[in-house]
């Protein structure tokens, strides 16, 4: 074993982000950088001696090298066994599933998710715990602490393991098991959904386009949708994972999945469209001529999940992140089940799922999932949609209109201001924070403010408290604006503004979102003084 000493951990004090550590790829490639993070993880969990882990990534540039580094370090730290996806590939939900199925002590996912890939783009790593979910805050804090004091890491001087074919390999005393990335995941999906029904739907001529965005879900979607469920060849596009995601942003939203959006809005649109992100944990759902917001998708899945075999007993509860619209709350209320509002980031759902308090969870950023794993799961959401469409025989547009007629519609949009100088972004947050107590009862741009606060989450399972999780402004009209800073960006700050307007059953549900949200937006711009503080009012990305 080789002990490499480092003068001071090459970390610059970055606190744990929304989802693991994300940096420019070249930063990760600096000698010792990845190594120090991995050693910090091992140190923070009381060492790797005798433990087993799952390791895989989304196939972006540096994925393969990083995996070899981790394997050598795991062996040097005494790990007994590591399960790796063939070719180094595993989607985030597939990692979560393998950790749970094989009972490993945890896992490492190499991905910067929706951030672009390549030597001049982004790389990332996240640690998942034995329940298969993202490390909760007490563990990420421990990892952070280790990164601040680390002085050495352990590795082996061995050749790379061959990850090209399934089977086993040996590194030092550690066994490496190379598995097909899709097999176990597909088996899990078969237990949840009525594959015969979905197969019959495709056989009847139902058409679909799935955009894998040159990222990790390509092999999964091809195996499940085309080979198993009989969707024709060409249903899955951009299906080969590439190191730079075809130079795109593997972010499944109408902006970055524009080609798919254009097709779905055209005369020749298929019945159903979907896309997934870099590491396969998110999804975008589109019907012919109609985009489904992630918040609506969560609500609609909650209302109809019982149509799929895995959920036929009903749901214990639905949890959503705070910026996600209240649409799923209305479903939970009607079903008489729990509903929860958590901070942004999947790690906050873990306790609720483990305790059996929630069955479905979702975020406005197109993450949806359930208690089948402890991560959000893009393809799972697509299959649940397909199962529901197969059962009801309705189109996506009919499903949406019926849902709004019953529950009302939460018009919704997120506006992102990217690469804002950190000081300016902080100034916006400070400016709004300073007004919170005086806002209720005042009127901004014609909209009366009914409530304003900084969101704190009290975990109902372990009692932990997470403060400063975003600023919420409620309006008497049933509107809401939320402001928060992204925890996943790698350049300056990203300011996210979330706009929502409720229209009750019987009210007009046919407006375009921009019109429906115009008053809330005007009020927010006035309260946050964006023009003055960041010099612009128009966002870079609207989803
Ligand atoms: C974003 C999303 C958040 C999601 C996170 C990780 O975080 O808003 O909902 O959980 O990305 O998703 P932020 O802090 O940038 O708003 V993923 O697919 O990158 O693992
Ligand atoms: Co992701």
């Amino acid at each position: 074993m080789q002990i490499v000493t480092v003068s001071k951990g090459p970390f610059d004090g970055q606190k744990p982000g929304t989802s693991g550590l994300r940096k420019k790829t070249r930063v990760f490639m600096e000698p010792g950088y990845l190594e120090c993070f991995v050693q910090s993880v091992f140190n923070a969990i009381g060492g790797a001696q005798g433990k087993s882990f799952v390791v895989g990534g989304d196939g972006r540039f540096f994925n393969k090298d990083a995996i070899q580094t981790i394997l050598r370090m795991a062996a040097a730290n005494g790990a007994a066994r590591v399960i790796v996806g063939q070719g180094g590939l595993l989607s985030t939900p597939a990692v979560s599933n393998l950790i749970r199925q094989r009972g490993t002590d945890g896992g490492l996912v190499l991905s910067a998710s929706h951030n672009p890939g390549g030597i001049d783009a982004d790389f990332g790593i996240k640690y998942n715990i034995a329940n298969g979910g993202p490390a909760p805050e007490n563990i990420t804090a421990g990892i952070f602490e280790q990164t601040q004091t680390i002085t050495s890491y352990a590795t082996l001087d061995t050749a790379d393991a061959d990850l090209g074919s399934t089977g086993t390999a040996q590194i030092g005393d550690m066994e490496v098991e190379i598995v097909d990335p899709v097999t176990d995941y597909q088996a899990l999906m078969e237990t949840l959904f009525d594959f015969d029904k979905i197969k019959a739907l495709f056989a009847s001529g139902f058409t679909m386009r799935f955009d894998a965005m040159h990222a990790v879900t390509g092999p999964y979607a091809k195996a499940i949708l085309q080979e198993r469920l009989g969707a024709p060849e060409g249903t899955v596009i951009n299906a080969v994972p590439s190191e730079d995601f075809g130079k795109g942003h593997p972010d499944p939203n109408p902006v970055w999945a524009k080609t798919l959006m254009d097709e779905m809005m055209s005369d020749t649109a298929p019945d159903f469209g979907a896309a997934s992100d870099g590491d396969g944990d998110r999804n975008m759902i589109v019907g012919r001529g109609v985009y489904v917001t992630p918040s609506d998708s969560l609500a609609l899945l909650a209302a109809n999940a019982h149509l799929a075999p895995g959920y036929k007993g009903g749901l214990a509860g639905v949890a959503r992140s705070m910026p996600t619209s209240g649409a799923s709350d209305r479903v939970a209320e009607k079903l008489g089940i729990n509903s929860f509002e958590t901070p942004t980031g999947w790690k906050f759902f873990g306790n609720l799922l483990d305790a059996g308090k929630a069955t479905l969870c979702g975020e406005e950023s197109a993450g949806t999932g359930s208690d089948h794993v402890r991560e959000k799961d893009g393809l799972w959401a697509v299959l649940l949609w397909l199962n529901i469409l197969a059962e009801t025989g309705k189109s996506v547009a009919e499903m949406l209109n019926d849902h709004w007629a019953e529950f009302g519609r939460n018009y919704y949009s997120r506006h992102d201001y990217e690469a804002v100088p950190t000081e300016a972004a902080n100034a916006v947050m400070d400016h709004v924070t300073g007004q919170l107590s005086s806002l209720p009862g005042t009127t901004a741009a014609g909209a009366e403010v009914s409530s304003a606060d900084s969101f704190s989450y009290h975990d109902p399972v372990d009692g932990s408290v997470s403060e400063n999780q975003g600023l919420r402004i409620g309006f008497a009209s049933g509107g809401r604006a939320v402001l928060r800073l992204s925890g996943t960006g790698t350049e300056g700050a990203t300011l996210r503004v979330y706009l929502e307007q409720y229209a009750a059953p019987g009210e007009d549900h046919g407006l375009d979102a921009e019109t429906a949200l115009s008053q809330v937006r005007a009020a927010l711009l006035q309260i946050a003084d964006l023009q003055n503080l960041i010099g612009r009012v128009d966002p870079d990305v609207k989803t």
Side-chain angles (χ1 to χ4, degrees):
M1 184 178 68
Q2 205 185 333
I3 301 286
V4 182
T5 48
V6 284
S7 54
K8 183 188 177 304
F11 287 90
D12 51 11
Q14 186 193 339
K15 292 271 184 206
T18 314
S19 178
L21 177 70
R22 265 177 224 195
K23 286 282 177 192
K24 289 288 163 201
T25 309
R26 286 187 195 273
V27 173
F28 266 100
M29 293 168 73
E30 284 165 18
Y33 189 89
L34 171 70
E35 289 86 342
C36 281
F37 183 79
V38 173
Q39 188 64 54
S40 296
V41 170
F42 291 153
N43 294 350
I45 60 170
Q49 187 66 39
K51 291 185 177 166
S52 57
F53 301 98
V54 176
V55 178
D58 64 9
R60 70 181 60 223
F61 182 83
F62 196 52
N63 187 49
K64 286 188 171 147
D65 294 343
I67 289 179
Q68 297 291 349
T69 298
I70 292 168
L71 289 178
R72 281 193 275 268
M73 288 185 63
N77 278 274
R81 188 185 179 79
V82 170
I83 300 168
V84 196
Q86 187 180 358
L89 290 181
L90 279 175
S91 74
T92 289
V95 169
S96 186
N97 179 46
L98 279 170
I99 294 172
R100 295 166 66 78
Q101 298 251 312
R102 305 297 191 86
T104 72
D105 296 282
L108 287 159
V109 186
L110 292 316
S111 173
S113 193
H114 57 287
N115 297 33
I119 191 164
D120 290 312
D122 297 340
F123 194 77
I125 179 167
K126 47 189 178 177
Y127 178 67
N128 283 24
I129 58 174
N131 75 350
E137 290 210 307
N138 60 335
I139 295 185
T140 54
I143 297 171
F144 174 70
E145 232 175 84
Q146 290 291 333
T147 64
Q148 300 303 292
T149 52
I150 189 165
T151 53
S152 67
Y153 65 86
T155 187
L156 288 188
D157 192 8
T158 55
D160 284 358
D162 177 10
L163 306 180
S165 43
T166 59
T168 54
Q170 200 77 22
I171 295 190
D173 294 332
M174 185 182 84
E175 186 172 88
V176 182
E177 183 187 344
I178 302 128
V179 299
D180 178 81
V182 180
T183 310
D184 296 81
Y185 177 82
Q186 178 170 338
L188 175 66
M189 294 300 115
E190 301 236 14
T191 67
L192 300 174
F193 303 117
D194 190 337
F195 271 35
D196 291 340
K197 261 241 153 80
I198 303 174
K199 197 168 179 183
L201 179 71
F202 282 121
S204 74
F206 179 89
T207 52
M208 170 176 185
R209 193 78 61 233
F210 182 95
D211 189 347
M213 303 190 85
H214 307 275
V216 80
T217 41
Y220 294 85
K222 271 185 99 162
I224 296 174
L225 299 174
Q226 295 186 181
E227 284 151 37
R228 174 68 178 85
L229 294 169
E233 185 92 4
T235 297
V236 182
I237 56 169
N238 302 321
V240 180
S242 85
E243 291 200 328
D244 64 357
F245 307 119
K247 306 216 181 313
H249 273 238
D251 198 349
N253 63 43
V255 177
W256 296 114
K258 186 167 184 312
T259 324
L260 175 69
M261 279 302 283
D262 289 348
E263 185 185 9
M264 294 307 299
M265 299 303 146
S266 75
D267 294 343
T268 54
D271 295 302
F272 186 57
S276 192
D277 72 332
D279 60 332
D281 57 3
R282 303 210 206 167
N283 68 92
M284 177 175 87
I285 302 293
V286 211
R288 176 182 291 142
V290 47
Y291 168 68
V292 183
T293 69
S295 298
D296 275 349
S297 179
L298 173 66
L300 205 135
L301 294 181
N304 296 283
H306 61 277
L307 298 174
Y311 307 93
K312 64 172 188 295
L315 311 175
V318 187
R320 64 166 172 88
S321 69
M322 182 274 277
T324 305
S325 93
S328 61
D329 300 357
R330 296 180 188 278
V331 175
E333 196 183 351
K334 193 148 190 173
L335 293 176
I337 58 175
N338 298 327
S339 67
F340 300 94
E341 185 178 33
T342 61
T344 293
W346 209 260
K347 60 189 169 196
F348 293 101
F349 293 131
N351 278 346
L352 298 173
L353 293 166
D354 282 350
K357 288 179 179 289
T359 311
L360 252 56
C361 306
E363 296 192 278
E364 52 63 41
S365 54
T368 354
S370 86
D371 58 0
H372 68 292
V373 287
R374 291 294 179 274
E375 284 279 5
K376 48 195 187 275
D377 187 344
L379 208 45
W380 167 89
V382 171
L383 290 167
L384 182 50
W385 261 96
L386 285 169
N387 201 147
I388 291 168
L389 294 175
E391 279 294 339
T392 59
K394 289 186 196 170
S395 69
V396 174
E398 285 166 336
M399 290 293 305
L400 263 186
N401 287 326
D402 291 356
H403 188 90
W404 293 334
E406 184 176 354
F407 298 97
R409 177 174 180 183
N410 292 70
Y411 288 101
Y412 192 85
S413 185
R414 185 178 94 186
H415 292 189
D416 294 334
Y417 300 80
E418 294 175 344
V420 177
T422 307
E423 274 180 19
N426 289 337
V428 172
M429 296 302 281
D430 291 346
H431 180 63
V432 178
T433 304
Q435 301 169 64
L436 288 176
S437 58
S438 58
L439 276 175
T442 62
T443 296
E448 190 194 330
V449 177
S450 54
S451 63
D453 70 353
S454 169
F455 179 55
S456 297
Y457 179 60
H458 296 250
D459 187 306
V461 180
D462 68 14
S464 61
V465 179
S466 305
E467 284 172 338
N468 301 321
Q469 297 296 324
L471 306 176
R472 302 188 285 196
I473 304 168
F475 296 93
S477 62
R480 185 180 75 148
V482 170
L483 274 152
R484 62 177 281 280
L485 298 180
S486 157
T488 60
T490 56
E491 269 169 61
T494 296
L495 177 68
R496 301 204 197 279
V497 173
Y498 309 79
L499 306 170
E500 178 178 354
Q501 178 64 53
Y502 181 61
E507 288 181 33
D508 190 353
H509 298 148
L511 299 174
D512 67 89
E514 202 156 306
T515 309
L517 296 167
S518 59
Q519 194 182 39
V520 170
R521 176 162 190 260
L524 185 275
L525 288 177
Q526 187 179 319
I527 292 166
D529 203 11
L530 289 191
Q531 181 67 62
N532 260 323
L533 295 173
I534 65 168
R536 55 184 161 134
V537 293
D538 287 324
D540 299 284
V541 181
K542 286 186 199 177
T543 55

